[in-house]
Amino acid sequence: MKKIGIITPGGDASGMNACIRAIVRRAVSSKLEVIGIIEGFAGLLKEKFIQLNLRSVSGIINHGGTILKSSRCREIRTAEGLKKAAKILKKQGIESLIILGGDGSLSAGAKIARMDSGISAGLSNLSVMGIPASIDNDVYGTDETIGFDTAIDTAVHAIDNIRDTAVSFNRVFIIEVMGRERGFLAGEVGLASGAEFILVPEIKYNVNKICRKLKEQQQQKKTSVIIVFAEGCGNLYKLANQISKKTQLEVRVSSLGYIQRGGSPSARSRNLASRFGDYAVELILNNRKNLVVVLKEGDIKSVPIDSIIGKEKKIDTGILKLANRLAV
Ligand code: F6P
């Protein structure tokens, strides 16, 4: 019986559990053996495995986080760590490793696959299947990652609440959202929450320009201002100080933080996860190797894992321009 492994290293994203469920149900029904790797790459290196069956994934489709748990692992960034991981997988008899994760986790996966075929004769044949899962949506080649839609909704609801108090006090709020070095989350969240400004790491902002616009908005009798600030843009407290000094407006900051990572997944995140998981197993059943499952213009497809690693996904500046046009 062919053995596959599932691992969820890196930041968890709502919908990962729905994806684990889909993988296990499709694989076990197709007579594959499924091993869950606990606590990401750190757990893999410590050989923390569990057997998964149809019932191990009951009642998890609606839960955030990952039942397989996660961790940040430095060792997997080294050649020794990658080699050790490939050897452990081989020893366990795992032929296909399905990795649910963002940019960093998928690139570690690609390296493990390369490492395996390069180590020595007899250690090859390990295949890696990537499934993009991250609130950052920063995986090249896919229009969407698992968890992105849920994180947008969570952040938008939080900002709606902040808008109420911002209006009551005529205040400017700078709200930090996650996204690592990228502004995908900030762009979608900003548009959906009617933000007056969206600041993303991909585009350098100009404090004087922001202040000039804030003054214009005051003249237009705006009663509140929301500035969505992607975490990769730097220090939001510094920006708050600069704006309050230059404009005398009352400025407050709020970092949404880890609430964006958790919570019950949206229907869209669950369905994307189910489609991705099922398709990854189908590829394995068809003996396809070293691929990443992607969403492209509504269709689920696959691309070679090496074709996406190290490539930078471009942010849609149209969203930022639209939000700006409407924030009058
Ligand atoms: O990649 C997902 C993410 O939530 C980023 O948006 C954020 O910068 C990072 O993970 C936080 O990482 P950690 O869980 O290690 O604090």
Side-chain angles (χ1 to χ4, degrees):
M1 196 194 279
K2 195 169 179 170
K3 223 190 221 186
I4 67 169
I6 315 176
I7 190 167
T8 54
D12 52 303
S14 288
M16 276 183 165
N17 284 331
C19 189
I20 295 168
R21 171 182 175 269
I23 295 167
V24 172
R25 295 260 165 105
R26 176 75 195 270
V28 173
S29 308
S30 310
K31 307 264 178 287
L32 299 180
E33 187 181 345
V34 189
I35 302 296
I37 298 162
I38 306 298
E39 291 170 9
F41 288 123
L44 169 58
L45 296 175
K46 289 185 199 141
E47 306 194 37
K48 290 191 172 183
F49 301 108
I50 51 160
Q51 185 92 28
L52 296 170
N53 60 43
L54 294 177
R55 294 285 72 77
S56 341
V57 292
S58 297
I60 64 168
I61 195 169
N62 52 335
H63 289 164
T66 161
I67 59 160
L68 295 178
K69 302 173 80 71
S70 187
S71 62
R72 300 284 181 200
C73 175
R74 281 169 190 265
E75 202 182 343
I76 204 68
R77 296 195 201 143
T78 66
E80 290 72 36
L82 292 165
K83 199 166 169 178
K84 187 173 167 193
K87 279 191 172 161
I88 290 172
L89 290 164
K90 188 71 190 173
K91 189 174 90 185
Q92 280 292 321
I94 292 173
E95 287 175 52
S96 281
L97 176 66
I98 303 184
I99 302 180
L100 276 67
D103 205 30
S105 303
L106 298 184
S107 81
K111 286 182 197 152
I112 290 174
R114 259 181 255 146
M115 193 52 84
D116 175 65
S117 39
I119 299 174
S120 65
L123 266 181
S124 59
N125 269 336
L126 168 69
S127 156
V128 168
M129 281 291 165
I131 298 189
S134 164
I135 66 163
D136 303 338
N137 198 28
D138 60 350
V139 178
Y140 184 87
T142 188
D143 292 341
E144 194 173 327
T145 52
I146 295 170
F148 183 53
D149 182 67
T150 307
I152 295 168
D153 275 350
T154 305
V156 169
H157 288 141
I159 294 176
D160 287 349
N161 290 0
I162 293 173
R163 179 73 85 172
D164 291 344
T165 178
V167 171
S168 305
F169 278 84
N170 291 334
R171 278 175 175 163
V172 175
F173 266 87
I174 306 178
I175 301 170
E176 187 185 65
V177 299
M178 281 187 165
R180 213 175 275 277
E181 298 303 318
R182 315 310 308 280
F184 296 100
L185 190 57
E188 296 285 341
V189 166
L191 177 63
S193 54
E196 279 69 22
F197 299 87
I198 303 173
L199 307 182
V200 295
E202 290 87 345
I203 301 169
K204 207 172 165 4
Y205 65 80
N206 178 316
V207 185
N208 291 329
K209 221 166 139 184
I210 294 174
C211 292
R212 266 201 307 279
K213 213 162 158 213
L214 279 168
K215 283 184 185 149
E216 272 170 40
Q217 289 172 344
Q218 289 292 300
Q219 282 153 13
Q220 291 162 343
K221 309 233 175 310
K222 271 205 174 259
T223 53
S224 66
V225 170
I226 297 288
I227 302 177
V228 170
F229 182 96
E231 64 174 340
C233 287
N235 188 328
L236 74 165
Y237 292 94
K238 185 174 161 207
L239 177 64
N241 272 333
Q242 288 171 321
I243 293 178
S244 71
K245 277 204 187 111
K246 283 178 195 277
T247 62
Q248 316 306 318
L249 290 167
E250 251 196 308
V251 186
R252 294 287 187 271
V253 298
S254 183
S255 176
L256 298 188
Y258 291 87
I259 64 162
Q260 296 162 98
R261 277 241 293 256
S264 180
S266 66
R268 188 180 167 92
S269 287
R270 296 180 200 192
N271 292 350
L272 181 66
S274 301
R275 292 170 78 197
F276 273 177
D278 180 75
Y279 192 62
V281 177
E282 186 168 321
L283 292 168
I284 292 170
L285 291 170
N286 289 324
N287 284 319
R288 305 281 310 280
K289 292 182 173 184
N290 300 322
L291 302 167
V292 174
V293 177
V294 296
L295 179 75
K296 263 285 154 216
E297 286 151 16
D299 291 330
I300 308 288
K301 299 182 174 168
S302 66
V303 294
I305 195 162
D306 280 331
S307 73
I308 66 150
I309 301 307
K311 296 230 180 97
E312 195 177 288
K313 183 167 165 184
K314 292 267 179 292
I315 155 168
D316 175 7
T317 52
I319 284 188
L320 308 178
K321 287 180 190 147
L322 171 59
N324 188 41
R325 273 202 300 283
L326 302 182
V328 283

mmCIF file of all heavy atoms in Angstrom, residues 10-12 72 102 134-136 138 177-181 185 231 258 260-261, ligand 1:
data_model
loop_
_atom_site.group_PDB
_atom_site.id
_atom_site.type_symbol
_atom_site.label_atom_id
_atom_site.label_comp_id
_atom_site.label_asym_id
_atom_site.label_seq_id
_atom_site.Cartn_x
_atom_site.Cartn_y
_atom_site.Cartn_z
ATOM 1 N N GLY A 10 4.995 26.058 9.409
ATOM 2 C CA GLY A 10 4.797 27.501 9.227
ATOM 3 C C GLY A 10 3.487 27.989 9.811
ATOM 4 O O GLY A 10 2.813 27.275 10.560
ATOM 5 N N GLY A 11 3.123 29.218 9.451
ATOM 6 C CA GLY A 11 1.913 29.837 10.017
ATOM 7 C C GLY A 11 0.660 29.058 9.645
ATOM 8 O O GLY A 11 0.468 28.711 8.485
ATOM 9 N N ASP A 12 -0.164 28.768 10.641
ATOM 10 C CA ASP A 12 -1.416 28.071 10.330
ATOM 11 C C ASP A 12 -2.363 29.030 9.602
ATOM 12 O O ASP A 12 -2.237 30.256 9.713
ATOM 13 C CB ASP A 12 -2.067 27.531 11.612
ATOM 14 C CG ASP A 12 -2.217 28.592 12.674
ATOM 15 O OD1 ASP A 12 -1.192 29.186 13.045
ATOM 16 O OD2 ASP A 12 -3.345 28.866 13.111
ATOM 17 N N ARG A 72 7.997 26.751 14.147
ATOM 18 C CA ARG A 72 9.030 27.344 13.278
ATOM 19 C C ARG A 72 10.288 26.499 13.481
ATOM 20 O O ARG A 72 10.602 26.151 14.628
ATOM 21 C CB ARG A 72 9.298 28.801 13.663
ATOM 22 C CG ARG A 72 8.071 29.722 13.552
ATOM 23 C CD ARG A 72 7.757 30.079 12.126
ATOM 24 N NE ARG A 72 6.597 30.968 12.036
ATOM 25 C CZ ARG A 72 5.890 31.123 10.931
ATOM 26 N NH1 ARG A 72 6.207 30.450 9.834
ATOM 27 N NH2 ARG A 72 4.869 31.944 10.903
ATOM 28 N N GLY A 102 2.901 28.191 3.166
ATOM 29 C CA GLY A 102 3.171 29.360 2.334
ATOM 30 C C GLY A 102 4.488 29.188 1.596
ATOM 31 O O GLY A 102 5.058 28.091 1.535
ATOM 32 N N SER A 134 -1.880 29.900 3.414
ATOM 33 C CA SER A 134 -1.262 31.001 4.170
ATOM 34 C C SER A 134 -2.194 32.196 4.141
ATOM 35 O O SER A 134 -2.814 32.463 3.112
ATOM 36 C CB SER A 134 0.066 31.396 3.517
ATOM 37 O OG SER A 134 0.487 32.649 3.993
ATOM 38 N N ILE A 135 -2.280 32.914 5.252
ATOM 39 C CA ILE A 135 -3.116 34.123 5.232
ATOM 40 C C ILE A 135 -2.474 35.211 4.374
ATOM 41 O O ILE A 135 -3.115 36.194 4.033
ATOM 42 C CB ILE A 135 -3.402 34.674 6.654
ATOM 43 C CG1 ILE A 135 -2.123 35.184 7.320
ATOM 44 C CG2 ILE A 135 -4.094 33.641 7.515
ATOM 45 C CD1 ILE A 135 -2.405 36.099 8.509
ATOM 46 N N ASP A 136 -1.192 35.047 4.033
ATOM 47 C CA ASP A 136 -0.480 36.093 3.282
ATOM 48 C C ASP A 136 -0.788 36.094 1.784
ATOM 49 O O ASP A 136 -0.529 37.080 1.103
ATOM 50 C CB ASP A 136 1.039 35.927 3.453
ATOM 51 C CG ASP A 136 1.476 35.966 4.907
ATOM 52 O OD1 ASP A 136 0.729 36.522 5.729
ATOM 53 O OD2 ASP A 136 2.562 35.437 5.220
ATOM 54 N N ASP A 138 0.836 34.804 -0.531
ATOM 55 C CA ASP A 138 2.062 35.213 -1.236
ATOM 56 C C ASP A 138 2.701 34.093 -2.057
ATOM 57 O O ASP A 138 3.884 34.156 -2.373
ATOM 58 C CB ASP A 138 3.081 35.765 -0.215
ATOM 59 C CG ASP A 138 3.454 34.725 0.840
ATOM 60 O OD1 ASP A 138 2.801 33.665 0.899
ATOM 61 O OD2 ASP A 138 4.394 34.977 1.611
ATOM 62 N N VAL A 177 -2.182 45.177 9.666
ATOM 63 C CA VAL A 177 -2.597 43.814 9.315
ATOM 64 C C VAL A 177 -1.354 42.996 8.966
ATOM 65 O O VAL A 177 -0.303 43.546 8.641
ATOM 66 C CB VAL A 177 -3.620 43.778 8.139
ATOM 67 C CG1 VAL A 177 -4.895 44.514 8.489
ATOM 68 C CG2 VAL A 177 -3.020 44.316 6.851
ATOM 69 N N MET A 178 -1.494 41.672 9.030
ATOM 70 C CA MET A 178 -0.352 40.796 8.735
ATOM 71 C C MET A 178 -0.076 40.733 7.227
ATOM 72 O O MET A 178 -0.728 41.426 6.454
ATOM 73 C CB MET A 178 -0.613 39.401 9.288
ATOM 74 C CG MET A 178 -0.363 39.290 10.769
ATOM 75 S SD MET A 178 -0.502 37.566 11.304
ATOM 76 C CE MET A 178 0.258 37.673 12.919
ATOM 77 N N GLY A 179 0.838 39.875 6.828
ATOM 78 C CA GLY A 179 1.151 39.730 5.407
ATOM 79 C C GLY A 179 2.632 39.548 5.148
ATOM 80 O O GLY A 179 3.068 39.504 4.007
ATOM 81 N N ARG A 180 3.383 39.520 6.233
ATOM 82 C CA ARG A 180 4.837 39.411 6.136
ATOM 83 C C ARG A 180 5.392 40.535 5.248
ATOM 84 O O ARG A 180 5.081 41.691 5.521
ATOM 85 C CB ARG A 180 5.227 38.031 5.591
ATOM 86 C CG ARG A 180 6.540 37.516 6.148
ATOM 87 C CD ARG A 180 6.815 36.120 5.668
ATOM 88 N NE ARG A 180 6.169 35.123 6.484
ATOM 89 C CZ ARG A 180 6.652 34.651 7.623
ATOM 90 N NH1 ARG A 180 7.805 35.090 8.076
ATOM 91 N NH2 ARG A 180 6.012 33.736 8.312
ATOM 92 N N GLU A 181 6.118 40.217 4.169
ATOM 93 C CA GLU A 181 6.698 41.284 3.336
ATOM 94 C C GLU A 181 5.775 41.704 2.206
ATOM 95 O O GLU A 181 6.188 42.434 1.313
ATOM 96 C CB GLU A 181 8.022 40.808 2.722
ATOM 97 C CG GLU A 181 9.106 40.459 3.731
ATOM 98 C CD GLU A 181 9.414 41.627 4.656
ATOM 99 O OE1 GLU A 181 9.493 42.769 4.177
ATOM 100 O OE2 GLU A 181 9.543 41.388 5.872
ATOM 101 N N LEU A 185 -2.982 40.943 1.751
ATOM 102 C CA LEU A 185 -4.040 41.008 2.763
ATOM 103 C C LEU A 185 -4.473 42.471 2.966
ATOM 104 O O LEU A 185 -5.669 42.784 2.974
ATOM 105 C CB LEU A 185 -3.514 40.397 4.071
ATOM 106 C CG LEU A 185 -4.526 40.144 5.179
ATOM 107 C CD1 LEU A 185 -5.654 39.245 4.712
ATOM 108 C CD2 LEU A 185 -3.843 39.517 6.402
ATOM 109 N N GLU A 231 2.003 44.972 7.776
ATOM 110 C CA GLU A 231 3.099 44.859 8.754
ATOM 111 C C GLU A 231 4.485 45.047 8.131
ATOM 112 O O GLU A 231 5.398 45.540 8.782
ATOM 113 C CB GLU A 231 3.035 43.535 9.511
ATOM 114 C CG GLU A 231 3.231 42.303 8.639
ATOM 115 C CD GLU A 231 3.317 40.997 9.447
ATOM 116 O OE1 GLU A 231 3.597 41.034 10.639
ATOM 117 O OE2 GLU A 231 3.092 39.931 8.836
ATOM 118 N N TYR A 258 -2.681 38.288 15.841
ATOM 119 C CA TYR A 258 -2.951 36.880 15.566
ATOM 120 C C TYR A 258 -4.422 36.523 15.440
ATOM 121 O O TYR A 258 -4.729 35.391 15.050
ATOM 122 C CB TYR A 258 -2.252 36.008 16.611
ATOM 123 C CG TYR A 258 -0.752 36.070 16.430
ATOM 124 C CD1 TYR A 258 -0.014 37.074 17.050
ATOM 125 C CD2 TYR A 258 -0.107 35.197 15.581
ATOM 126 C CE1 TYR A 258 1.347 37.176 16.831
ATOM 127 C CE2 TYR A 258 1.251 35.294 15.350
ATOM 128 C CZ TYR A 258 1.973 36.286 15.981
ATOM 129 O OH TYR A 258 3.319 36.396 15.744
ATOM 130 N N GLN A 260 -6.079 37.389 13.173
ATOM 131 C CA GLN A 260 -6.231 37.176 11.727
ATOM 132 C C GLN A 260 -5.907 35.748 11.306
ATOM 133 O O GLN A 260 -6.270 35.311 10.226
ATOM 134 C CB GLN A 260 -5.286 38.113 10.958
ATOM 135 C CG GLN A 260 -5.615 39.568 11.152
ATOM 136 C CD GLN A 260 -4.427 40.449 10.769
ATOM 137 O OE1 GLN A 260 -4.373 40.967 9.672
ATOM 138 N NE2 GLN A 260 -3.479 40.617 11.670
ATOM 139 N N ARG A 261 -5.185 35.020 12.149
ATOM 140 C CA ARG A 261 -4.763 33.672 11.775
ATOM 141 C C ARG A 261 -5.778 32.602 12.161
ATOM 142 O O ARG A 261 -5.751 31.503 11.613
ATOM 143 C CB ARG A 261 -3.421 33.354 12.441
ATOM 144 C CG ARG A 261 -2.238 33.882 11.701
ATOM 145 C CD ARG A 261 -1.304 32.791 11.241
ATOM 146 N NE ARG A 261 -0.654 32.122 12.323
ATOM 147 C CZ ARG A 261 0.621 32.318 12.670
ATOM 148 N NH1 ARG A 261 1.356 33.183 12.006
ATOM 149 N NH2 ARG A 261 1.162 31.632 13.641
HETATM 150 O O1 F6P B 1 2.947 33.783 7.269
HETATM 151 C C1 F6P B 1 1.865 33.958 8.081
HETATM 152 C C2 F6P B 1 2.145 34.961 9.158
HETATM 153 O O2 F6P B 1 0.994 35.044 9.970
HETATM 154 C C3 F6P B 1 2.584 36.338 8.678
HETATM 155 O O3 F6P B 1 1.510 37.119 8.217
HETATM 156 C C4 F6P B 1 3.271 36.867 9.917
HETATM 157 O O4 F6P B 1 4.237 37.835 9.587
HETATM 158 C C5 F6P B 1 3.934 35.645 10.467
HETATM 159 O O5 F6P B 1 3.217 34.535 9.980
HETATM 160 C C6 F6P B 1 3.999 35.562 11.969
HETATM 161 O O6 F6P B 1 4.798 34.466 12.298
HETATM 162 P P1 F6P B 1 4.913 33.781 13.726
HETATM 163 O O7 F6P B 1 3.776 32.841 13.886
HETATM 164 O O8 F6P B 1 6.203 33.040 13.668
HETATM 165 O O9 F6P B 1 4.889 34.871 14.733
#
